[in-house]
Amino acid sequence: MQFLSLFAAAALGIGALTLPGPALAEISAEMRVALQGAMLSYVDSVLVDGAYTYLDPTADEMRTVYPANVHPMIVTVGDDYFVCSEMVTETGEQVTADFLVREVEGEWTVVQALLNDRASLETAMSKDM
């Protein structure tokens, strides 16, 4: 509950940033709240002692990061939504975190987390245009 309670008010109170291009659609405030809430709940559920450990695809090693900044950015790729955030390492290095959120059995759910792999999301966006 640390991450959720710490960032919920900020995340739910801000709008989505949009980038120009056909891959992005207008996202209602209600939808932003639902998507960001799903991301916050997911992150909160996988933290162990406030940390998240993952396999970094760019460094080919296990890394541990901590929640740092909830972005208001939500990106659409086809019918999917990516909610963007940032994590930090113990040394303060910023790591991008992009969460694929889909509706599963009537609930918005994170089905994939991309950490330190913004290039993959940008490539997917360019193919969707």
Side-chain angles (χ1 to χ4, degrees), residues 12-88:
L12 300 179
I14 51 183
L17 294 177
T18 57
L19 303 172
L24 297 174
E26 184 66 28
I27 301 171
S28 71
E30 183 177 286
M31 178 64 83
R32 285 192 303 268
V33 168
L35 296 171
Q36 289 175 330
M39 184 271 299
L40 291 167
S41 293
Y42 170 80
V43 171
D44 192 49
S45 74
V46 297
L47 292 178
V48 176
D49 295 328
Y52 181 78
T53 300
Y54 71 103
L55 175 61
D56 188 319
T58 60
D60 295 326
E61 66 183 14
M62 298 298 287
R63 296 181 75 191
T64 298
V65 293
Y66 303 86
N69 187 15
V70 176
H71 286 202
M73 188 168 76
I74 298 173
V75 178
T76 59
V77 178
D79 293 331
D80 295 317
Y81 297 94
F82 282 89
V83 180
C84 305
S85 184
E86 283 184 356
M87 304 272 197
V88 294

Side-chain angles (χ1 to χ4, degrees), residues 54-60 63 65 85 87 93-98 113-120:
Y54 71 103
L55 175 61
D56 188 319
T58 60
D60 295 326
R63 296 181 75 191
V65 293
S85 184
M87 304 272 197
E93 175 191 350
Q94 292 184 337
V95 175
T96 60
D98 301 309
L114 298 174
L115 275 76
N116 201 26
D117 194 13
R118 179 67 50 84
S120 290

